[in-house]
Amino acid sequence: MWLLMQIDVFSNIFHELTLELSTLLDILPAKKLRLNDDVHELLILITKQCSEQFAYVDVKDRDLRSQVVEMLDRIEREIVPDQPKLAEIFDKLTLRDSTSCRDEIELLEEEIQSQTDEKAKSDIIALIGFVRYAKCVLYGGSTPRTNSRRRRAAAVADVSVPADFRCPISLDLMRDPVVVSTGQTYDRSSIAPWFESGHTTCPKTGQTLTHTDLIPNSALKNLIAMWCREQKIPFESTEFNVKTNGAVTNKTALEATRMTVSFLINKLKASESVDSVNRLVHELRVLAKTDSDSRACIAEAVALPLLVKLLGSEHPSLQVNAVTTILNLSILEANKTRIVETDGVLNGVIEVLRSGATWEAKGNAAATIFSLSGVHAYKKRLARKTRVVMGLIDLAREGPLNSKRDALVAILNLAGDREAVGKLIEGGVVEMVAEIMDGLTEEAVTVLEVVVKKGGLVAIAAAYPLMKKLAVVLRDGTDRARESVAATLVNMCRKGGSEMVAELAAVQGIERVIWEIMGIGTGRARRKAATLLRVLRRWAAGLDAEVASGAYSDVNMNTSTRIVLPG
């Protein structure tokens, strides 16, 4: 499709090459080469052909290009394409089934990554929308293929991602790392919703930000890109909106998306076959993943009431497609309200989290909870629901690796609210952390750090049995894990009293480990290690009262009241 649209450009490039070749042939000393007659005649013929004055374009190609341009223009003017004419064009393009159209879309998406010209990117986006619309209208919805070219690339979940390449919020590989005013780095897709929800603090350190500007961390992004290429992991973002001054620059793509959504929704309303419904919902799922405009169009087309009916489906694939579509829609801030306020959707997602047919469905339900909890009011609402808390904790405890991570990220987000921490502690979040710490050390200690910090003495008492496990992580863990453990131990020792300090001091070689972190740990880890060493030294000197100062002054261990702990 892109080659067709560029036929004049490519024809001119070939014409320039042949003219250069003609010049070379003109100065070639053919007589001195003593060529035989046949070769000499061939040389004369080539020279003549290379000296053509005009670039050549096949008439059929030029006509086909005109037809495509005309159809794109009609779509931009909100005129629905004539289906027989559409079928004729795609037959000539040899895009004659759903698979070939999907291949074409993938190739166009790859072409965007190699383009630097914004106009070219915008034109390709229009073509992607056009092909996607034609695929749905001409060949119907489709299900995921098992032999996709992209499946040859390793999945991120199958490799060990370096700690510094993970976002502290989502714990996923960062695609667009940015730095906030405290010097901490986050993935833009994770930190932007945090700010949009009204927060003015750094999620990791709790410090108030001097400003909310996001500074691209180009050096880290280049390192991540290099690592991804080595691991054969796709790195580029899958969102292809080309914007200038905040406005979408291609109306054709937007109108093609609206037409595609309208077609799919109308088909979905009329379909009775489970297989047909599953294919249509899968198309909506894929479309909702592409960009913000698609998410807005799907939500505005009133897709949510249709999707909520499918969340309880006994067909595992259909349930996964339905809940994942809702997850993809929730990425758009405006859709979060639609999801929460549309009757039955939130309860349906929670039910999938609790008793979904597959781990994938449960994991994507957990990811939806995480996405919705980006809005502070919804975070409080979700945290008050016992089914949400227990569903996340059970998933983190029992699910496969990817599902565990989805659950832990959601738990981490809920734990940012002090009131929610009480529910999490009652639900057994600390015990769950103890169970998964050996397999998901970084994620587990990150959750524990937030719970201990926000949960006061109740959380500290619950974490007491983990003291020795934390000491092991402090000695053998990654830099990021050691940083979280050091912060957790500081809070436990300063607020938990001399028993906590004594338990830590009893760990063999603990001071040597702390000295090591003070020398080679991250900046924050070094600061926490220094504080920890002072606490141990005060305890050893018999200054117990100072170690636990304030530990029991404002709260009783038997109450659920929590106190503010230092960061």
Side-chain angles (χ1 to χ4, degrees):
M1 182 73 80
W2 180 239
L3 290 174
L4 176 68
M5 302 302 289
Q6 298 294 304
I7 52 174
D8 289 325
V9 175
F10 291 124
S11 179
N12 286 329
I13 291 173
F14 276 108
H15 183 57
E16 289 173 4
L17 288 172
T18 55
L19 290 178
E20 290 179 11
L21 182 57
S22 175
T23 301
L24 291 172
L25 291 173
D26 283 341
I27 63 174
L28 181 70
K31 292 182 179 179
K32 293 183 179 180
L33 295 176
R34 297 180 181 178
L35 303 174
N36 63 41
D37 292 341
D38 290 340
V39 175
H40 190 261
E41 288 179 7
L42 184 59
L43 184 63
I44 293 172
L45 178 62
I46 293 173
T47 303
K48 183 179 179 180
Q49 289 178 334
C50 287
S51 61
E52 292 289 340
Q53 293 185 352
F54 303 103
Y56 172 76
V57 176
D58 189 284
V59 175
K60 292 181 180 178
D61 287 343
R62 192 179 290 281
D63 180 60
L64 182 57
R65 181 184 182 279
S66 297
Q67 292 178 48
V68 172
V69 170
E70 180 184 358
M71 193 156 284
L72 289 171
D73 180 63
R74 290 174 67 82
I75 290 174
E76 184 176 4
R77 290 185 283 122
E78 303 179 32
I79 301 172
V80 177
D82 178 67
Q83 191 165 333
K85 186 66 176 176
L86 189 67
E88 180 186 337
I89 289 174
F90 273 70
D91 181 65
K92 290 178 181 178
L93 286 164
T94 67
L95 300 176
R96 297 175 179 136
D97 54 34
S98 181
T99 300
S100 60
C101 285
R102 283 192 297 191
D103 285 339
E104 182 69 12
I105 290 170
E106 288 183 1
L107 289 169
L108 288 168
E109 289 174 344
E110 291 173 4
E111 184 64 36
I112 286 180
Q113 304 303 325
S114 64
Q115 292 289 335
T116 56
D117 179 65
E118 295 300 303
K119 175 64 168 60
K121 288 184 178 182
S122 180
D123 291 343
I124 297 172
I125 288 170
L127 293 177
I128 291 173
F130 178 49
V131 176
R132 185 176 285 119
Y133 170 76
K135 178 174 78 75
C136 292
V137 171
L138 299 178
Y139 311 121
S142 57
T143 53
R145 51 188 163 183
T146 57
N147 60 343
S148 170
R149 291 180 298 113
R150 292 187 175 185
R151 289 183 182 273
R152 293 179 297 188
V156 177
D158 296 332
V159 297
S160 178
V161 179
D164 290 338
F165 292 176
R166 286 187 184 168
C167 174
I169 296 175
S170 68
L171 303 180
D172 289 333
L173 179 71
M174 289 188 281
R175 306 284 176 169
D176 187 8
V178 292
V179 180
V180 298
S181 64
T182 58
Q184 298 293 330
T185 297
Y186 301 92
D187 201 2
R188 187 185 296 274
S189 62
S190 296
I191 192 64
W194 173 265
F195 290 154
E196 289 169 6
S197 301
H199 295 94
T200 56
T201 58
C202 175
K204 188 172 181 181
T205 65
Q207 294 174 261
T208 300
L209 299 170
T210 56
H211 59 78
T212 57
D213 295 339
L214 300 177
I215 303 169
N217 191 335
S218 301
L220 180 58
K221 186 173 183 178
N222 290 335
L223 289 173
I224 295 173
M226 290 170 59
W227 179 82
C228 285
R229 283 195 293 272
E230 292 171 359
Q231 301 295 328
K232 294 183 171 57
I233 294 173
F235 174 69
E236 294 82 3
S237 171
T238 55
E239 288 215 10
F240 299 113
N241 273 356
V242 178
K243 295 177 182 281
T244 303
N245 297 326
V248 178
T249 59
N250 195 298
K251 188 174 185 295
T252 304
L254 179 59
E255 293 305 326
T257 297
R258 285 178 176 154
M259 291 178 187
T260 304
V261 170
S262 176
F263 175 83
L264 291 172
I265 295 296
N266 290 333
K267 279 284 188 180
L268 187 57
K269 290 177 180 178
S271 294
E272 297 180 358
S273 161
V274 173
D275 183 63
S276 175
V277 170
N278 189 37
R279 290 174 179 273
L280 291 166
V281 175
H282 174 258
E283 287 294 338
L284 287 173
R285 168 185 174 174
V286 172
L287 190 58
K289 188 179 180 181
T290 56
D291 54 52
S292 297
D293 290 329
S294 298
R295 295 175 196 121
C297 288
I298 294 170
E300 289 165 3
V302 199
L304 286 169
L306 296 175
L307 293 170
V308 72
K309 297 176 182 178
L310 306 175
L311 292 176
S313 172
E314 295 179 357
H315 192 288
S317 178
L318 180 54
Q319 186 184 68
V320 168
N321 283 328
V323 74
T324 308
T325 303
I326 294 173
L327 166 62
N328 292 339
L329 291 175
S330 74
I331 296 171
L332 183 66
E333 285 300 301
N335 283 347
K336 296 185 195 301
T337 300
R338 287 191 176 104
I339 291 170
V340 173
E341 300 303 329
T342 299
D343 188 39
V345 178
L346 184 57
N347 283 334
V349 171
I350 294 172
E351 190 56 36
V352 173
L353 173 66
R354 294 289 288 143
S355 56
T358 63
W359 290 118
E360 183 182 2
K362 291 182 177 182
N364 287 345
T368 306
I369 297 295
F370 164 73
S371 178
L372 296 176
S373 65
V375 178
H376 187 65
Y378 299 154
K379 179 187 295 186
K380 287 181 172 293
R381 182 171 171 179
L382 290 164
R384 287 198 297 264
K385 294 180 179 290
T386 302
R387 288 189 303 154
V388 171
V389 172
M390 295 308 301
L392 293 173
I393 290 175
D394 288 345
L395 183 59
R397 180 181 279 129
E398 301 169 3
L401 190 62
N402 282 347
S403 299
K404 284 179 185 286
R405 286 200 172 109
D406 288 328
L408 289 170
V409 168
I411 289 170
L412 189 62
N413 213 29
L414 293 181
D417 180 72
R418 293 182 183 279
E419 294 180 16
V421 174
K423 278 277 189 184
L424 290 169
I425 294 172
E426 291 172 12
V429 69
V430 176
E431 291 78 7
M432 176 272 292
V433 164
E435 292 179 27
I436 69 168
M437 192 177 291
D438 292 337
L440 290 168
T441 306
E442 281 188 19
E443 292 86 345
V445 297
T446 302
V447 169
L448 186 64
E449 177 190 353
V450 177
V451 169
V452 167
K453 179 181 177 181
K454 301 283 187 178
L457 292 176
V458 176
I460 289 171
Y464 178 76
L466 294 181
M467 184 70 78
K468 290 183 178 178
K469 269 196 168 187
L470 292 174
V472 172
V473 176
L474 192 66
R475 183 187 66 206
D476 301 328
T478 63
D479 286 345
R480 183 160 292 178
R482 296 168 94 181
E483 180 182 312
S484 290
V485 169
T488 302
L489 289 174
V490 166
N491 276 324
M492 290 175 69
C493 289
R494 291 176 68 179
K495 297 297 179 179
S498 58
E499 287 187 13
M500 289 282 180
V501 186
E503 184 74 7
L504 181 61
V507 176
Q508 187 174 2
I510 190 64
E511 282 204 16
R512 179 184 58 79
V513 172
I514 293 173
W515 275 108
E516 180 183 331
I517 295 173
M518 288 171 62
I520 63 173
T522 63
R524 181 167 178 255
R526 290 198 297 270
R527 293 194 300 273
K528 294 298 181 181
T531 302
L532 203 55
L533 187 61
R534 286 197 298 272
V535 170
L536 286 173
R537 292 287 172 82
R538 283 181 172 276
W539 173 83
L543 301 175
D544 292 357
E546 290 187 37
V547 169
S549 60
Y552 301 94
S553 58
D554 298 318
V555 66
N556 186 286
M557 286 289 285
N558 295 322
T559 72
S560 59
T561 307
R562 285 166 295 283
I563 60 176
V564 179
L565 302 182

